[in-house]
Amino acid sequence: ELKQALEDLALANREMIRLNEMLSAARKAVEDARKAKEEFVANVSHELRTPLNMIIGFSDMILETPEVYAHRLPSALLADVAAIRRNSQHLADLVDDVLDLSEADTGRMQLSKEECSFSEIAQEAALTVSALFQKKGLTLTLDVPKDIPNVYCDRTRIRQVLLNLLSNAGRFTEKGGACVRAGVDGGMLVISVSDTGPGMQREKLERLFEPFQQADPTIRRRYGGSGLGLAISKRLVEMHGGKIWLESEPNRGT
């Protein structure tokens, strides 16, 4: 019985060694795949940005100073150039979003934190999206107390989060508008962006923070967007030690 037990133990040890070797090989394969993905995203982003910047630059030049090319360019041509510029900028923004998401997922994104006034960040974000709201006849209000304490954060990244949320509110809202509120609760800065848009069903809320996910497949065709804004916002908020969530009901806004 002792001899059989020793043989069984030796067999178990050999099996454990084999499994450890398989696990080590699997880990190496995963690490190689991660590195390959990082290199692919970085290389593709670089290769796409260079020609896109050229297209955007020349489009801007034609639209802003058409007299450089001819005494008068046809309005139809200028309209086509404007469409080229608009779609090129959309693609450039998508490339930036993919790169941001990749850097956040791999922990390579660095935050430059400093003492910031959230009131100033909110005003900057509101000014950036004001044209979108004005074009659609929507209201945009800020309810941020002047005496709210400063927050230690990466100013650019927190403004990026706020811009993503306000851009969503502006795109999906047809009547009414949006409001940015801020307050302090238990030592945390609590920020909300509410809108009077169509709202969403509860079962569709959870997946919206996943990359390339939207509540409805028809949304991308109707409203635009890549489905990356909320995923990036979630990563950035969590990198600051915070959390982000969504509350919405059909026909009652988000």
Side-chain angles (χ1 to χ4, degrees):
E1 290 178 355
L2 179 59
K3 181 179 178 181
Q4 183 62 47
L6 290 173
E7 290 177 353
D8 291 343
L9 181 60
L11 180 62
N13 283 335
R14 287 196 297 271
E15 184 66 16
M16 185 172 66
I17 292 173
R18 188 179 69 86
L19 291 175
N20 283 336
E21 290 174 348
M22 292 175 61
L23 179 60
S24 178
R27 284 177 176 171
K28 186 177 184 304
V30 170
E31 182 65 19
D32 290 343
R34 183 186 65 80
K35 290 181 179 179
K37 186 192 79 169
E38 290 178 19
E39 292 177 2
F40 174 78
V41 170
N43 291 335
V44 169
S45 299
H46 175 73
E47 294 298 328
L48 287 175
R49 275 175 170 169
T50 301
L52 282 172
N53 288 337
M54 291 282 289
I55 295 171
I56 293 171
F58 278 116
S59 299
D60 285 338
M61 187 181 299
I62 295 172
L63 293 171
E64 295 172 6
T65 57
E67 64 275 6
V68 172
Y69 298 90
H71 177 66
R72 183 176 181 180
L73 293 177
S75 58
L77 174 60
L78 292 177
D80 289 343
V81 172
I84 292 171
R85 197 247 182 250
R86 184 171 59 253
N87 285 278
S88 298
Q89 185 61 57
H90 174 72
L91 185 55
D93 292 341
L94 178 59
V95 170
D96 289 339
D97 286 346
V98 170
L99 190 59
D100 282 347
L101 190 61
S102 176
E103 289 180 346
D105 283 342
T106 57
R108 293 173 59 185
M109 179 180 287
Q110 300 296 320
L111 298 179
S112 299
K113 293 185 178 182
E114 59 181 338
E115 288 285 336
C116 299
S117 165
F118 178 74
S119 178
E120 293 179 0
I121 296 175
Q123 290 172 9
E124 292 170 2
L127 183 61
T128 302
V129 299
S130 60
L132 170 63
F133 281 77
Q134 291 172 5
K135 181 179 179 181
K136 298 181 67 174
L138 304 173
T139 61
L140 176 56
T141 57
L142 300 179
D143 184 8
V144 182
K146 293 183 178 180
D147 60 347
I148 198 166
N150 286 347
V151 60
Y152 187 62
C153 68
D154 186 321
R155 183 189 192 98
T156 300
R157 294 304 184 181
I158 293 299
R159 184 172 63 240
Q160 181 180 355
V161 171
L162 200 55
L163 280 172
N164 284 338
L165 300 181
L166 286 174
S167 295
N168 282 349
R171 286 208 315 273
F172 299 132
T173 303
E174 301 296 338
K175 294 182 180 180
C179 180
V180 179
R181 293 184 176 87
V184 177
D185 182 11
M188 299 289 284
L189 177 64
V190 182
I191 306 160
S192 69
V193 177
S194 58
D195 64 52
T196 57
M200 287 168 285
Q201 296 175 354
R202 186 178 300 275
E203 60 269 18
K204 296 182 178 180
L205 301 183
E206 292 296 329
R207 64 179 184 177
L208 287 183
F209 289 105
E210 296 299 321
F212 300 106
Q213 292 293 325
Q214 292 179 322
D216 191 315
T218 63
I219 284 179
R220 190 166 300 169
R221 293 193 296 271
R222 182 177 178 186
Y223 297 103
S226 62
L228 287 174
L230 288 179
I232 294 172
S233 298
K234 183 175 185 291
R235 305 294 197 281
L236 293 177
V237 169
E238 290 175 348
M239 287 173 68
H240 280 83
K243 61 180 180 177
I244 185 171
W245 68 94
L246 187 66
E247 297 173 3
S248 183
E249 293 182 22
N251 304 316
R252 297 191 63 179
T254 301

